[in-house]
Amino acid sequence: MKEIQLTKEPHGHMLNSTQVFSKDSNWLVFDTRNQDNEISSTASIAMVNTKTGEIKMLYQTKNQTEFGPGVGAATFSPVDDKVIFIHGLNNSNAANPYSITRRTGIAINTNDPNKAIFMDARCIEKPFTAGALRGGTHAHTWSKDGNWLSFTYDDYVIEQFSRTFSGVQNLRTIGIMIPRSVIVKTLDDEENFSGTMFSIIIAKITENPKLETDEINKAFDECWIGNGYLKQNGQWQQKAIAFQGNVKNEDGNVKTEIFVVDLPKNLIDITGDQMLPGYENKRLNVPKGITQRRITFTKYGIKGPRHWLRSNPEGTQIAFLSQDEFNFINVFCVSPNSGKIKQISNHKFNIQGGINFSPDGKYITYIAGNAVFVTDVETSKSTQLTKNDLNANDLFGCVNWSPDGKIIAFNRYVLDEITNQYFVQIFLITNDDHSIMSFD
């Protein structure tokens, strides 16, 4: 195998946590952040060719300042030449800057740069519009067929209401977008706009979860479960989401567990009053027919660095990080059916970032011990792919696989000799003969 530094320009080249490769594995999409918390001041989304290093600019914001609008966290559609990314509101300024409730999802066709496609509609004024959201989306992830999107959500209307009424809190939750246009009639400013997708909240949250129950006060960091999965009753579930939810144990302490939502086939037909309560003091409704079920009941809960759940292609395993019996952060997997947990990696040092499955589901890759590792899901054999970086912060984030299984991509800080500054660069690992990677 060989390691290649793909980018070298003196600015950031930050990869998202998943779906950063084009469907043909020839391009990687990135934003130009140099730190994870710099979305508000980041102006560009671009892509780089994995073979030639050619860079194509896809989108640049207008009137960019430190307060916004800002862009970041781009993902490629698995079936189309299209990317989606976070975009702050265009009227962002010092008084109303970019924030978790003031952002949306913008898509770009890679053959038509800078032409923004508003995906989720936004309406923060009464009467609220069915299918439109009232806040900010992020962590947009495409379903395997490229038709739907999942996202995490923070409600602006509830955020404003909670400043006056302490009994109502702005709590993060998750939702999905399905292909149906939403027209917002209140278009008098940059705060309200139409979208090409119909948004639905799918996780139920509450301010005060009862102790030792499955009630949660936060839903976040989700994943699509495979291309669907086979349920215990023998029926095929076409689309489902696994997500992290915060419960309270018997001592009142917060613990993060895994939940599953099976999405009904007729979800696209749900409209109208069922979607929105129409009140500024209530969260968006979860439609009837959507229920969440808890599948893990662990001692420690999910532990370690922030990460998104990941599913293998067959939908039989959901991967997550937690603490093992020796107090190290390792990879575990759980079935969406049985809830039975298996430890996958067995490092005597901590995993330092997010995780991803290989396209065939055989391996999981991540950063641990300041190096890139890959672990066989069946045998738990771990293989170190890079040298241990001397600086623990040089490597960071998630390690991504190309759809053809021939490339692994990751981020590393590299010192630029001209400016004497460190910049986020993209690195690749490939076989010398450009064959599908195997670690048997």
Side-chain angles (χ1 to χ4, degrees):
M1 295 182 183
K2 58 183 178 180
E3 181 180 325
I4 302 168
Q5 181 177 341
L6 185 63
T7 60
K8 297 181 180 180
E9 297 79 12
H11 61 73
H13 304 76
M14 191 164 291
L15 299 173
N16 199 9
S17 62
T18 188
Q19 296 181 332
V20 297
F21 280 92
S22 60
K23 66 181 188 295
D24 59 8
S25 301
N26 288 335
W27 296 90
L28 278 163
V29 66
F30 63 91
D31 62 67
T32 53
R33 276 178 294 168
N34 205 44
Q35 299 286 342
D36 186 57
N37 62 354
E38 291 179 346
I39 289 181
S40 64
S41 59
T42 298
S44 304
I45 302 292
M47 63 182 186
V48 57
N49 191 282
T50 57
K51 296 180 175 63
T52 66
E54 175 192 4
I55 290 179
K56 291 185 178 181
M57 187 60 62
L58 296 178
Y59 184 81
Q60 290 183 299
T61 61
K62 298 177 181 178
N63 303 316
Q64 180 65 47
T65 73
E66 63 181 299
F67 305 108
V71 291
T75 58
F76 253 114
S77 165
V79 298
D80 295 314
D81 296 326
K82 182 186 288 186
V83 300
I84 186 173
F85 48 89
I86 297 170
H87 195 301
L89 300 189
N90 283 322
N91 63 349
S92 297
N93 55 34
N96 292 291
Y98 168 95
S99 75
I100 61 175
T101 63
R102 290 175 47 78
R103 57 187 178 181
T104 189
I106 295 291
I108 293 289
N109 290 315
T110 60
N111 57 1
D112 195 7
N114 275 312
K115 187 176 181 180
I117 304 169
F118 285 79
M119 301 295 272
D120 45 312
R122 175 182 168 95
C123 180
I124 63 170
E125 298 178 12
K126 295 187 293 184
F128 300 122
T129 304
L133 296 170
R134 310 182 310 183
T137 62
H138 102 297
H140 309 96
T141 306
W142 306 84
S143 60
K144 299 300 181 182
D145 59 11
N147 291 327
W148 295 14
L149 285 155
S150 69
F151 57 87
T152 54
Y153 176 68
D154 298 273
D155 195 292
Y156 175 83
V157 173
I158 293 295
E159 177 189 52
Q160 300 307 302
F161 185 82
S162 67
R163 293 179 177 179
T164 305
F165 298 91
S166 59
V168 176
Q169 302 172 27
N170 181 32
L171 305 174
R172 172 162 287 185
T173 187
I174 63 168
I176 60 169
M177 301 182 206
I178 58 179
R180 175 185 292 171
S181 296
V182 176
I183 304 300
V184 174
K185 295 180 180 179
T186 306
L187 294 173
D188 57 345
D189 55 32
E190 298 283 1
E191 299 283 343
N192 305 275
F193 42 81
S194 301
T196 62
M197 304 286 274
F198 192 101
S199 297
I200 299 169
I201 299 302
I202 64 170
K204 186 176 182 179
I205 50 179
T206 180
E207 280 87 354
N208 300 297
K210 296 183 179 65
L211 305 186
E212 288 292 287
T213 69
D214 295 346
E215 294 181 349
I216 59 174
N217 62 6
K218 183 180 180 181
F220 57 104
D221 297 352
E222 79 289 347
C223 74
W224 292 97
I225 302 179
N227 295 306
Y229 74 99
L230 188 65
K231 301 171 76 171
Q232 285 182 314
N233 61 10
Q235 294 181 348
W236 184 258
Q237 177 63 41
Q238 289 187 340
K239 284 187 172 66
I241 296 279
F243 67 88
Q244 301 180 42
N246 283 350
V247 301
K248 288 188 176 180
N249 63 17
E250 60 184 2
D251 299 320
N253 297 318
V254 173
K255 182 173 63 168
T256 302
E257 297 284 4
I258 299 177
F259 291 76
V260 167
V261 173
D262 294 330
L263 300 171
K265 293 180 181 180
N266 66 341
L267 187 60
I268 200 169
D269 298 323
I270 296 173
T271 59
D273 294 339
Q274 189 179 161
M275 299 305 307
L276 286 170
Y279 301 104
E280 65 271 15
N281 63 341
K282 291 184 179 180
R283 278 181 284 275
L284 302 181
N285 285 336
V286 175
K288 295 178 181 178
I290 295 181
T291 58
Q292 60 202 44
R293 55 186 172 88
R294 180 176 170 181
I295 64 168
T296 59
F297 297 82
T298 64
K299 180 178 180 181
Y300 302 111
I302 291 179
K303 294 284 188 180
R306 185 184 182 185
H307 65 283
W308 280 258
L309 302 179
R310 293 290 178 246
S311 169
N312 64 349
E314 297 79 16
T316 58
Q317 298 290 334
I318 299 165
F320 63 100
L321 298 180
S322 190
Q323 181 178 314
D324 65 16
E325 60 180 323
F326 303 106
N327 298 324
F328 293 109
I329 301 301
N330 273 295
V331 181
F332 295 77
C333 278
V334 61
S335 164
N337 284 316
S338 66
K340 184 178 180 180
I341 295 173
K342 174 187 176 183
Q343 184 169 343
I344 302 301
S345 66
N346 294 282
H347 299 296
K348 301 307 179 193
F349 43 84
N350 291 328
I351 291 178
Q352 298 164 270
I355 52 180
N356 275 303
F357 275 97
S358 59
D360 58 11
K362 287 185 176 181
Y363 309 105
I364 296 176
T365 190
Y366 46 84
I367 294 169
N370 305 330
V372 175
F373 277 84
V374 62
T375 295
D376 188 299
V377 175
E378 289 300 319
T379 66
S380 292
K381 175 188 174 183
S382 294
T383 303
Q384 184 172 337
L385 302 185
T386 65
K387 295 180 180 179
N388 301 87
D389 280 60
L390 297 178
N391 187 336
N393 296 319
D394 285 352
L395 287 167
F396 70 97
C398 291
V399 183
N400 280 266
W401 291 78
S402 62
D404 61 11
K406 297 180 180 180
I407 307 172
I408 288 174
F410 60 96
N411 277 143
R412 175 187 279 140
Y413 278 100
V414 177
L415 179 64
D416 179 72
E417 295 182 354
I418 297 177
T419 63
N420 199 35
Q421 296 181 42
Y422 283 87
F423 294 105
V424 175
Q425 304 294 352
I426 298 173
F427 285 74
L428 307 180
I429 299 173
T430 66
N431 285 327
D432 287 332
D433 59 358
H434 303 287
S435 60
I436 294 175
M437 305 187 77
S438 177
F439 304 91
D440 296 335

